Structure formats: structure tokens, C-alpha cells
Amino acid sequence: MSILIVGSLALDDVKTPTEERFNLLGGSAAYAAIAAGYFSPVNLVGIVGEDFPEEHWNFLQERGINLEGVQRAPGKTFRWSGEYMLDMNTRETRSVDLNVFETFSPQLPAAYRAHDFVLLANVAPDLQLQVLDQMEKPKFVVADTMDLWINIAQPALLELLKRIDMLILNDSEARELTKESSLIKAGKKIQSLGPRLVAIKKGEHGCLLFGEDDFFSCPAYPLEDIHDPTGAGDTFAGGLTGYLASCGEKEITFNTLKSAVVVGSVLASYNVEAFSLERLRSVEQSHILERFAQFKSMAHFDAELPGN
Amino acid sequence: MSILIVGSLALDDVKTPTEERFNLLGGSAAYAAIAAGYFSPVNLVGIVGEDFPEEHWNFLQERGINLEGVQRAPGKTFRWSGEYMLDMNTRETRSVDLNVFETFSPQLPAAYRAHDFVLLANVAPDLQLQVLDQMEKPKFVVADTMDLWINIAQPALLELLKRIDMLILNDSEARELTKESSLIKAGKKIQSLGPRLVAIKKGEHGCLLFGEDDFFSCPAYPLEDIHDPTGAGDTFAGGLTGYLASCGEKEITFNTLKSAVVVGSVLASYNVEAFSLERLRSVEQSHILERFAQFKSMAHFDAELPGN
């Protein structure tokens, strides 16, 4: 089943403790679309400027991403520049140039309005709401967000929460949004604000999924070296939603949701192994299966306890 | 199969943001012994002073802990006093009075020298070494440690590492010992110092187990409220080693080790629900089975991925 993804397309400059790279393909929608594309046909909504390299456009198209909903506007593409500290967990944004994104208003082609599965990748919540306003009756809406929107656009974010099935955010964002230091309390409090499902990403500690009466703790893949964490969260969201859409005809059980979280984690674990989307250029279905099996082996246990 | 546990017996004063309690049963050996006792007969080695309450002594005995190796020395029992901050993760030690522990030298009754399973609960590494010096040929030695020993007794700790099968420590201690910020690198580096197994406890994020060619990530039980984290690590170590000893006739596979880590986590998750060992007074085998099943449900997943 095809999936609608709305988000940013960007050109990134990224500096890590060992290397610096320029004009990389970035943006929440780029990562999410490539990840989702492993499982479901993707229809993308976004905007790029006149300077968006043909190479990046072609890469997305070659992966089967439908770019009909991507506007090519006069002016420059959204640009982000960031630097990672020695521990690779701390990031400093060096500059953000919204450019064509500043006046972006997502317009859904008529054929896009009837999607069952929607991923509102990380953009301002008022843009995410504009997309929902144009949809007919989506079956499953996932939204990603970030600290910036919690700080400067919380009313719109709270409105969005009432209209989605699942919110994805990281641990510090969950604490900031709820003012709870316990992630368990934070997850449940977010559910009380609207979404029946909440995924809290914890970086090196994995991910927590809060369901209506269920709870899942997904481990992180034990990577020794992380080359570029940029887009890990977007990749996670894309892989997760793409996998769910591929199961879309069936009822979405909590078991399916668990596997979707693992699939998202698998793709994110590959993504951070190289700059930008470079690692995913060579990741094939068989690699996903392989690491999915590794996740299983590092999370599953079985025993006969006394008294069994 | 019976297990030998060496560690501290203490009287604790504990203050949390909501309550303060005095003269609680504490010490690494008390927690570890009660936890291990659910699975295996426990022989304890330690020391208490003349002021050690009969009530605490009787509680240990009623749980079937053999106290033949516990010296009752003139003077006062080891005392610890600590305070937890609002987030319950940060702890401040208010005072430590070694008392009878200051001159403690563990003496193993002759019958104790032949144990196959040994837990060197958290005490100074030179005391842990003294115990090993008195043992015949233990099959499986687990040692717990803490930041204090990494800072003031690292040479003895490094010597100990060469003589044990498994080290248990928490995330900040692992980083401190290895100077690695990645826990994956830290775990492997500790293995290279001696123990073929390393368990890194991550509090609210669960626990990582490093095996020879295997890796396990154990989730944390999703507790909303933690009443007293004191002894959680000791309880974990005791439950883990006690469970292993109960499987002792068989070969210890990585699958058994995974389950042991879960069993330790189950007991620790109960332990923090009340002050001191109060919660474990009412925890029965059936409760352990119940929460073990919950750990399974929150960690296990299964799916047919495309390409399967």
C-alpha cells in the first residue's frame, strides 16, 4: 500500500570530529522516503529550490519515489549545517537557511488525498496540520517532531497530537513536552494528549513504544562507530511507517507495531554508518533481513524458571 | 547448587524526596543474598557489629540464608547514609561509617572453599581477591564493583578482572574504567582486561550483556515510580548469579545467561518499589514468573519481512 510522506528536502553541510562534507542530500523527507521505499511505494510532498542537484533528484527517482508532489520553486533549497562533538551524541546547529521553505505551503495533488498511510516527517506542526486538512480519511497517521516546535509552536503541536495515531520524538523532547523526568510517565502523558501510540527514541539506548495497553522496548544496534547520526530519526520514522503500510491490508496489531519499530531501528542503524544517505545506497533487502535477525537474537531470551 | 556470596551487611539511612527512613537492612550482600535465595541455597560471608538488629539477622535466616560465615564483631555495623534527588537517578552519599568493616578480612569456613558459583558482591577488590585466594576451583565467578574502587583501588580491581568470569558495573563506571564514551567499546575493552562476560547496567535503560561472540540488550521494566533505588544493582547481581547456580549442572549457554540477566532485572525492578528489602519480603516465585513473562512480552517481536 502506498504511503504519503511530507517533510523537508535539504542540502546539508555536516562536520564530524574526523571529517567535513558539503551539499549532502538531507532533510526529513529525503531520509524518510528512502527508508520507507524499501517496503512501500512512496509519494513525496515537499519543496526544493533551483539549486537542488539533479544527482539528488535522480537518486530519489531511481529509488522509485514519486516526486510529483515536490515543488521546484525559484530560489535556493533549504540548507542546514551542523557539527557533531567528540561523543557524536551532541550536535551543534551552525546555520539554518530556510530559503524556499520559508513560504512553503504543502499542496497535495488530487490523487494524494486518499492515502491510508501518512508520515508527517519533521517540519513545523502547522504545515503538518495543513496536510491533514487536505486528506480524506487516512487510516494511520504518524508524525515526527523536534524540540524547536515544542518550544516555538507548541499550540499547533498540541492541536496536531489530537489528529494523529502515533507521535515519534526523542527522549529529551518527550521530557521537555511533558515536564516529566520519567520517560514512562512522559510517554503516557503524551498519549493522554491524543496519539494512542508514542515512540520515544533514546539514541544509543534504543526506543520505547507505548501502546494502548502494551509496551515495547526496542534495543539499539551495538554500533562501535557512528559516522554521521544526521537523519537517523527520519530514517527510523520512514522505515517504521513504510513497513506498516506494507502490512496495510491487515489489521495493525501491537505485534506488527513492534516489528515496525525494529525495522525502523534497523534502517537507522545502517544510516548512521556513513554520511547523508550514502550507506542506504548499498543496503539491500537482504541486509535488512540480516540485521532484523540480529535484533531478534540480541533481544530474545527464553528460560524455564523454577516453578514453571 | 549452592552459591557463595561475599559482601557488606549494613545499616542504611535513606532519604528520598518524599520520605526518610533509618536503620534499614542494607549492604551489597544483604540484597544479593535475598535475591539469589529465590533460586539457590546461599552461604554468606560478611561481618556485622554488636548493634546489628536481631530482626535483620532473623529475616536473612528465615529466607534460608546460611549465616555461618558472617562474623559478629565487637563494635558497630557498617553504616551508610544517602539521599536521592528529585529525579531519583542522582544520589548523594551523606556519610559512610566503615566501623567493623574497616578491619574486615573475609574468612571462609572450610566447607565454603569448594563452591562452584561465587558472587563477589560490591566490596573493595582486595577483599574480593582474598576470597578467591581461599577458593578451590570455582566454576563461575561473578564480581560487582563501583566507581569508588575504580578511583582508589584500580590496580587491585585490574588484578581481580583476570580472575573472574563476569563483571557487573554500571554505565558511568564502565566509561570511567575504560575512558570510552561508547558503551559498546567500553564493554569490549573490559572483556579484553579479563572477564569473558560483562554486564553493563544502565538504570532506566536496562542492561547490556557482552558475551564472547554474543550480545544481549535487556530492557528495563517500565516503572512509573521508584521508591528507593538502593540495592538495585546488588539485587540484580544476586538474582543473576542465583539463577545461574540453579542451572549449574548444565553447561552455561548464552541463552541461560540472557535469562539470568532478565531474572536479575525482574528482582531489581521489584526491589526499587519500596525501601530497603521491604518489597522482596512479599515477592514470591509466582511474582517473578509473572514479571519474567512481562519482560518477554515487552522485548520479543516477530514478523515476516518482505523477502522472507
Side-chain angles (χ1 to χ4, degrees), chain B residues 189-208:
Chain B
K189 201 160 173 178
I190 296 170
Q191 287 181 298
S192 76
L193 297 171
R196 62 191 170 84
L197 299 161
V198 175
I200 300 183
K201 297 167 291 176
K202 306 191 295 173
E204 61 166 339
H205 301 301
C207 175
L208 304 179

Side-chain angles (χ1 to χ4, degrees), chain B residues 62-305:
Chain B
E62 282 156 19
R63 285 299 186 105
I65 315 294
N66 182 353
L67 301 176
E68 192 195 332
V70 177
Q71 303 167 38
R72 273 181 180 272
K76 287 188 172 176
T77 301
F78 173 45
R79 292 195 75 99
W80 176 82
S81 167
E83 178 172 354
Y84 291 90
M85 304 302 119
L86 204 59
D87 67 2
M88 294 300 276
N89 287 318
T90 325
R91 177 168 89 178
E92 205 173 85
T93 292
R94 298 201 291 187
S95 67
V96 177
D97 300 306
L98 289 177
N99 299 328
V100 294
F101 217 78
E102 197 154 11
T103 54
F104 175 53
S105 170
Q107 301 301 327
L108 268 53
Y112 281 20
R113 297 171 190 259
H115 277 89
D116 275 345
F117 287 84
V118 184
L119 169 56
L120 306 169
N122 177 30
V123 289
D126 60 324
L127 297 183
Q128 294 174 314
L129 284 165
Q130 282 178 36
V131 172
L132 288 186
D133 288 342
Q134 297 171 58
M135 304 283 313
E136 282 169 12
K137 198 180 182 303
K139 178 174 158 185
F140 199 91
V141 181
V142 179
D144 195 0
T145 194
M146 72 186 292
D147 50 358
L148 180 67
W149 314 125
I150 294 169
N151 293 327
I152 70 166
Q154 197 161 134
L157 179 61
L158 292 175
E159 200 187 323
L160 178 78
L161 290 186
K162 296 180 194 143
R163 298 177 62 183
I164 62 176
D165 296 277
M166 183 172 187
L167 181 70
I168 297 175
L169 75 179
N170 74 29
D171 46 3
S172 64
E173 292 157 359
R175 289 188 165 113
E176 201 165 328
L177 179 59
T178 61
K179 308 292 177 206
E180 292 285 355
S181 69
S182 152
L183 290 179
I184 305 303
K185 284 187 183 173
K188 293 186 177 176
K189 201 160 173 178
I190 296 170
Q191 287 181 298
S192 76
L193 297 171
R196 62 191 170 84
L197 299 161
V198 175
I200 300 183
K201 297 167 291 176
K202 306 191 295 173
E204 61 166 339
H205 301 301
C207 175
L208 304 179
L209 176 65
F210 296 81
E212 277 154 305
D213 303 298
D214 295 290
F215 176 76
F216 176 54
S217 177
C218 180
Y221 190 76
L223 287 169
E224 283 191 59
D225 289 299
I226 290 175
H227 287 273
D228 176 14
T230 312
D234 310 308
T235 306
F236 171 82
L240 181 154
T241 319
Y243 174 74
L244 286 181
S246 77
C247 313
E249 302 295 343
K250 293 174 270 179
E251 192 205 353
I252 297 173
T253 64
F254 197 72
N255 270 329
T256 308
L257 289 162
K258 284 176 171 183
S259 295
V261 165
V262 178
V263 165
S265 304
V266 164
L267 283 162
S269 75
Y270 277 121
N271 185 65
V272 301
E273 290 181 347
F275 276 98
S276 178
L277 282 147
E278 285 168 18
R279 185 67 182 89
L280 292 191
R281 283 177 191 266
S282 60
V283 166
E284 294 169 14
Q285 212 69 38
S286 63
H287 299 109
I288 298 175
L289 290 173
E290 191 184 313
R291 205 165 271 188
F292 188 88
Q294 288 175 289
F295 268 80
K296 213 179 257 186
S297 129
M298 72 196 195
H300 285 213
F301 56 90
D302 217 327
E304 291 298 310
L305 293 196

Side-chain angles (χ1 to χ4, degrees), chain A residues 103-167:
Chain A
T103 53
F104 176 53
S105 170
Q107 300 302 326
L108 268 55
Y112 281 20
R113 296 172 191 259
H115 278 88
D116 275 345
F117 287 84
V118 184
L119 170 56
L120 306 169
N122 177 30
V123 289
D126 60 324
L127 297 185
Q128 295 173 314
L129 283 166
Q130 281 177 36
V131 172
L132 289 186
D133 287 342
Q134 297 171 58
M135 304 282 312
E136 281 169 11
K137 197 176 181 304
K139 179 175 158 185
F140 199 92
V141 181
V142 179
D144 195 0
T145 195
M146 73 186 291
D147 50 357
L148 180 66
W149 314 127
I150 294 169
N151 293 325
I152 70 166
Q154 197 161 132
L157 180 61
L158 292 175
E159 199 186 322
L160 179 77
L161 291 186
K162 296 181 194 144
R163 297 178 62 184
I164 62 176
D165 296 277
M166 183 173 189
L167 180 70

Side-chain angles (χ1 to χ4, degrees), chain A residues 57-115:
Chain A
W57 187 271
N58 292 342
F59 171 55
L60 292 165
Q61 267 188 335
E62 282 156 18
R63 286 301 186 103
I65 316 295
N66 182 353
L67 301 176
E68 192 195 333
V70 178
Q71 303 166 39
R72 274 180 181 273
K76 288 187 172 177
T77 301
F78 173 44
R79 291 197 77 101
W80 176 82
S81 168
E83 178 172 357
Y84 291 90
M85 304 302 120
L86 205 60
D87 67 2
M88 295 301 274
N89 287 318
T90 326
R91 177 169 89 177
E92 205 173 86
T93 292
R94 299 201 291 188
S95 67
V96 178
D97 299 306
L98 289 177
N99 298 329
V100 294
F101 218 77
E102 197 154 11
T103 53
F104 176 53
S105 170
Q107 300 302 326
L108 268 55
Y112 281 20
R113 296 172 191 259
H115 278 88

